[in-house]
Amino acid sequence: MKHDGPYTSGVPKLWNATIDAHRNAVREAVLDAAAALVTERGLAAVTMSQIAESSGIGRATLYKYFPDVESILRAWHERQVGAHLAALEQVRASSAAPGAALSSVLHAYGFICHARHGGALAAMLHSDDGLAEAHRRLRDMVTELVAAAASAGEVRGDVPAAELADFCLHALEAARVLESKAAVARLVAVTTAALQPTT
Amino acid sequence: MKHDGPYTSGVPKLWNATIDAHRNAVREAVLDAAAALVTERGLAAVTMSQIAESSGIGRATLYKYFPDVESILRAWHERQVGAHLAALEQVRASSAAPGAALSSVLHAYGFICHARHGGALAAMLHSDDGLAEAHRRLRDMVTELVAAAASAGEVRGDVPAAELADFCLHALEAARVLESKAAVARLVAVTTAALQPTT
């Protein structure tokens, strides 16, 4: 593991005990730096040299981790989606009743979408194959919650759970274009209303 | 207007009376040919030469109309979206009652999304600025319909019409991933259920 002196001084945490932990720390620092640069300067303006400098490693080292800017941004986005999934799992675990767990997860997901408001980066990567796996996990989680709530009579049983999950996830994407948190709360309420058992 | 002999024989309609109509006919033929080639061979495999040959004009002529494959596909997509909007306007005009008009438009839009099922082309162009205008027109149309239906007491009035329109358009995008027409009909029913006045 080679480091180029001048840039490492500010990031002592990179000098960890094990190679694995060290590599991981470098990787995380690169992703943080890339995300900050893209937010600040825009997608098109960011280069490998800037990311290297900003993450406190040499350019040659950076190329040992990632071949190009796009692969860094893809890895960053995967990390984001993974963090969102973990947060949703926690929300889910905090409610015992299936209907309440579903409501809480949909609410949390609505606000996650809202936080990605205007994300050019997310839009660019949205059709990416790399996200297919994360999206599948999200869809599976919501499908399970819908099925459990339907079994408990808290959600309509006349539409397959997977279809209702797709409906919810697509509907809540509208939170991206909403201006206020109040509007996001209304969106979650409208989406949830569609799941009510038909009488 | 120059034409390269060998390819024009199959497309006599290109020889129209006026230059404008002629140019339009060439343009339409190019868009049709490009769309067919992309569907058949995939996005990456299509070249300007293939499009020229397939639309029955010379390569030099094609370059007078479009600088590259991407601009052809963008024009094709704009034409598609324009046609969808026109179809939705017709559906809207066929119902006098606002609630019925809204239901019909949402139903038609669900099936339009479904028809774009798996469209790699649409996904590629989806984040395109050129679509912003078409999307705004669609959103305005649905917002007007929701507002009229809410005034008539047929749709909930506790959420702004524009927010309900965004909800509907995002929710119906789920039709892209649905396998059957029956599933699309269920999606439209679920989406519409969310709009019911709260009691």
Side-chain angles (χ1 to χ4, degrees):
Chain A
M1 200 75 344
K2 176 179 154 285
H3 278 286
D4 321 39
Y7 300 120
T8 48
S9 54
V11 281
K13 68 167 183 178
L14 294 189
W15 298 97
N16 281 337
T18 70
I19 296 289
D20 264 9
H22 170 75
R23 284 193 64 90
N24 219 35
V26 173
R27 208 168 173 279
E28 297 290 298
V30 168
L31 300 189
D32 291 339
L37 282 168
V38 167
T39 304
E40 193 189 312
R41 303 180 193 184
L43 203 53
V46 175
T47 66
M48 290 295 271
S49 298
Q50 288 169 349
I51 294 172
E53 182 170 344
S54 181
S55 42
I57 60 173
R59 208 162 155 275
T61 305
L62 179 57
Y63 277 102
K64 286 184 191 156
Y65 286 82
F66 296 101
D68 49 31
V69 173
E70 206 194 323
S71 63
I72 296 174
L73 297 179
R74 184 168 295 130
W76 170 79
H77 198 227
E78 277 174 24
R79 190 181 69 174
Q80 288 280 97
V81 174
H84 293 155
L85 276 170
L88 291 174
E89 283 289 3
Q90 276 201 311
V91 168
R92 172 195 198 166
S94 65
S95 300
L102 176 62
S103 290
S104 305
V105 166
L106 295 182
H107 190 268
Y109 185 68
F111 278 90
I112 285 172
C113 289
H114 182 57
R116 289 183 300 172
H117 180 269
L121 186 57
M124 185 198 80
L125 298 164
H126 200 65
S127 61
D128 197 303
D129 285 341
L131 282 186
E133 166 63 16
H135 188 79
R136 199 187 53 71
R137 281 168 58 202
L138 176 62
R139 187 174 178 271
D140 286 351
M141 184 203 297
V142 177
T143 301
E144 274 171 36
L145 285 168
V146 168
S151 294
E154 298 180 272
V155 156
R156 62 196 298 163
D158 60 337
V159 176
E163 289 178 23
L164 288 178
D166 282 331
F167 159 78
C168 290
L169 294 176
H170 280 84
L172 292 173
E173 286 272 325
R176 279 173 195 259
V177 299
L178 295 176
E179 296 297 333
S180 70
K181 288 199 196 318
V184 177
R186 286 192 291 270
L187 173 66
V188 175
V190 168
T191 304
T192 310
L195 306 180
Q196 297 309 303
T198 45
T199 46
Chain B
M1 199 79 338
K2 174 179 156 286
H3 277 286
D4 320 39
Y7 299 119
T8 48
S9 55
V11 280
K13 67 168 183 178
L14 295 188
W15 298 96
N16 281 336
T18 71
I19 297 288
D20 264 9
H22 170 74
R23 285 192 65 90
N24 219 34
V26 173
R27 207 168 174 279
E28 296 292 299
V30 168
L31 301 189
D32 290 339
L37 283 167
V38 168
T39 304
E40 192 189 312
R41 302 181 192 183
L43 202 52
V46 175
T47 65
M48 289 294 272
S49 299
Q50 289 169 348
I51 293 171
E53 182 169 346
S54 182
S55 41
I57 59 175
R59 207 162 157 276
T61 305
L62 178 57
Y63 277 102
K64 286 182 192 159
Y65 285 82
F66 295 101
D68 50 30
V69 174
E70 205 194 323
S71 63
I72 296 174
L73 297 178
R74 184 168 295 131
W76 170 78
H77 198 228
E78 276 173 25
R79 190 181 70 174
Q80 288 279 98
V81 174
H84 292 155
L85 276 171
L88 291 174
E89 283 289 2
Q90 276 200 310
V91 168
R92 173 196 198 166
S94 65
S95 299
L102 177 62
S103 289
S104 305
V105 166
L106 295 181
H107 190 267
Y109 185 68
F111 278 90
I112 285 173
C113 289
H114 183 56
R116 290 184 300 172
H117 180 269
L121 187 56
M124 185 198 79
L125 298 165
H126 199 66
S127 61
D128 198 301
D129 285 341
L131 281 186
E133 167 63 16
H135 188 78
R136 199 188 52 71
R137 281 168 58 202
L138 177 61
R139 187 174 177 269
D140 286 351
M141 183 203 297
V142 177
T143 302
E144 274 171 37
L145 285 168
V146 168
S151 293
E154 298 179 272
V155 156
R156 60 197 298 165
D158 60 336
V159 176
E163 289 178 23
L164 288 178
D166 281 332
F167 159 79
C168 290
L169 294 176
H170 280 84
L172 293 173
E173 286 273 325
R176 281 174 195 257
V177 299
L178 295 176
E179 296 297 331
S180 69
K181 288 200 196 319
V184 177
R186 286 191 291 269
L187 172 66
V188 175
V190 168
T191 304
T192 309
L195 306 180
Q196 296 309 304
T198 46
T199 46

